[in-house]
Amino acid sequence: MPTTNDKATAPPAPEPLRVAVADSHTHLDMQSGTVPEALAAAAAVGVDTLIQVGCDLDGSRWAAETAERYANIWATVALHPNEAPRIVHGDPGGPAPRQSGRPAGGTAALDAQLDAIAELAALPQVRGVGETGLDYFRTGPEGRQAQQYSFRRHIAIAKQYDKALVIHDRDAHEDVLRILLEEGAPSTVVFHCYSGDAAMAKVCAEHGYYLSFAGTVSYKNAQNLRDAVAVAPRDRLLVETDAPFLTPVPHRGRPNAPYLIPLTLRAMAAARGEDEDSLAAAVAANTARAFGY
């Protein structure tokens, strides 16, 4: 059984991919080591492009600056869904919402940060608006209202600058899909760390949304994800780490990083009964198309 020290140690590098792919969603600012070290480790196993994702204003600024500095990194910028209640209320709960559609307590502070996100979204190295969306895991009614308001604003920003909308969807499938329809989805929508089932995957496919799978697709209790990846159209599939989180089997619980992408790609190929190289080629092309690089 692994020790605590083993859990904190970076896993060994997997066998390299023969066809290079991109990590469509990573958080280098939350990982140990330097950006050049992360790029080198990823390149050594066939991961040649990284999408660095912002979760708050400072992180989004860092993502944009890092993408400007490194040719193989692109950025997305946003306020994570859980940021909206914190900015508006100071916590994710709160009293029952008013019926106005705007969070009780006002949105001036949230709007100011969203305006700053919009300025970053205009930059050429920023290829997406996200991760945005809804996260109901620990969110009360008033927090949900703040999240929905923020999500709608992010959708508008993505459409304004014609950037990919990168969605975080946790325990909120119905509302995420409903708001996308109500607002009118941007031309490119990516469900990051897809967490739905095969039926939802078919709905997403009907709308042309991309589904990005993380290490969770390799987990024993995640048959719903393997069913989803099996039915998703080949031209809508992406792969990601969400590093340092969601490390794939057999290293679950240890620090994740872009160089572990081959493990998740292989789990996806196994679920689809598909050749690893052909799936990698499709995923690489899909990621480039979704983020326009």
Side-chain angles (χ1 to χ4, degrees), residues 43-58:
V45 297
V47 180
D48 63 0
T49 303
L50 309 181
I51 308 296
Q52 168 64 23
V53 176
C55 290
D56 58 21
L57 185 53
D58 287 343

Side-chain angles (χ1 to χ4, degrees), residues 38 62 65 141 166 177 232 269 272:
W62 189 89
E65 292 165 2
V166 179
L177 292 171
R272 290 175 64 83

Side-chain angles (χ1 to χ4, degrees), residues 116-243:
I117 291 293
E119 292 181 10
L120 292 172
L123 297 172
Q125 72 272 26
V126 174
R127 297 306 174 97
V129 174
E131 57 186 283
T132 180
L134 303 174
D135 187 324
Y136 290 172
F137 183 57
R138 293 191 182 93
T139 306
E142 181 62 22
R144 292 186 181 193
Q145 190 181 38
Q147 286 189 5
Q148 291 183 19
Y149 176 83
S150 179
F151 184 30
R152 292 178 191 274
R153 286 265 345 244
H154 280 89
I155 291 171
I157 293 168
K159 290 197 290 188
Q160 179 180 357
Y161 295 106
D162 194 23
K163 302 292 173 81
L165 182 74
V166 179
I167 291 179
H168 172 107
D169 166 25
R170 188 173 188 184
D171 297 345
H173 304 324
E174 290 184 7
D175 279 355
V176 167
L177 292 171
R178 172 181 60 81
I179 290 172
L180 282 172
L181 291 177
E182 288 176 357
E183 296 296 318
S187 57
T188 302
V189 172
V190 175
F191 274 78
H192 132 70
C193 188
Y194 181 79
S195 60
D197 57 13
M200 181 176 164
K202 291 178 181 178
V203 172
C204 290
E206 291 171 1
H207 293 288
Y209 303 155
Y210 290 91
L211 307 181
S212 183
F213 288 85
T216 44
V217 75
S218 70
Y219 295 176
K220 183 178 180 180
N221 64 347
Q223 188 58 45
N224 65 306
L225 300 182
R226 289 184 286 278
D227 292 342
V229 80
V231 303
R234 200 159 171 271
D235 66 353
R236 297 291 116 178
L237 288 172
L238 308 180
V239 66
E240 66 173 85
T241 57
D242 197 24

